[in-house]
Amino acid sequence: MSVTKAMGIFNSIFGKKISEEEKENKALSWMPLTAMDQLNSIEKLSADKPQIIFKHSTSCGISTMVLRLFEENYSLGPEKADLYYLDLHGYREISNEVANKFNVYHQSPQLLVIINGVAVAHNSHGAIAEMDLDKYVQKRGRS
């Protein structure tokens, strides 16, 4: 096996190092979800464009890996959807209210897509990477 091929496999398993410039260009516009009243705003804003909530457990290696993969593969611009980051440990009450308000079972990591005040999609763990977020934006464009 060639060194290049071996490095390609290694990078696909463990992730390649990304330069600071690539990180800066790829940085997502996360809005921290830190106040209960933001949930009402998210509900209202979801009438105009999808609102995406990422519930992250800062002490979980799997959650960190899923967040990194999400950030590396996310391709929607800020005009297409708003992104919220929820630190489950710092804001447990808000996390519980997200589950209650949007009628989803709490998991972590977890990604919710809110449209017209409803969680139209939600997944956790590895299934987050399989979500096709483009289809929710396209639905919005047709209505």
Side-chain angles (χ1 to χ4, degrees):
M1 178 183 299
S2 73
V3 172
T4 304
K5 187 172 183 179
M7 286 306 296
I9 292 169
F10 182 81
N11 286 340
S12 68
I13 294 171
F14 297 104
K16 66 177 185 159
K17 290 206 178 220
I18 299 173
S19 73
E20 289 305 312
E21 184 178 341
E22 286 175 309
K23 283 181 188 176
E24 193 172 303
N25 290 338
K26 186 68 178 170
L28 301 183
S29 300
W30 289 111
M31 291 179 271
L33 182 48
T34 59
M36 202 68 81
D37 63 345
Q38 285 179 277
L39 297 178
N40 290 329
S41 295
I42 289 169
E43 183 178 27
K44 289 175 186 165
L45 291 169
S46 73
D48 295 323
K49 71 177 170 178
Q51 305 294 294
I52 298 172
I53 300 172
F54 191 101
K55 294 170 62 176
H56 175 55
S57 172
T58 56
S59 65
C60 175
I62 292 171
S63 189
T64 299
M65 179 185 72
V66 170
L67 176 61
R68 189 187 85 228
L69 288 171
F70 176 81
E71 289 178 328
E72 288 174 1
N73 294 301
Y74 185 80
S75 61
L76 301 176
E79 72 284 354
K80 301 285 186 185
D82 293 327
L83 287 172
Y84 295 86
Y85 171 91
L86 176 59
D87 171 355
L88 297 176
H89 295 293
Y91 300 96
R92 175 107 23 217
E93 281 184 26
I94 296 171
S95 176
N96 292 339
E97 186 57 24
V98 166
N100 183 51
K101 183 174 193 69
F102 298 113
N103 199 28
V104 297
Y105 183 76
H106 164 77
Q107 295 187 20
S108 96
Q110 185 174 38
L111 187 79
L112 292 85
V113 179
I114 313 297
I115 296 176
N116 292 327
V118 176
V120 296
H122 60 94
N123 267 321
S124 68
H125 298 85
I128 290 172
E130 298 168 10
M131 292 178 77
D132 180 7
L133 298 177
D134 288 329
K135 75 180 183 182
Y136 301 105
V137 171
Q138 290 171 359
K139 279 184 185 179
R140 299 296 303 158
R142 284 190 234 135
S143 44

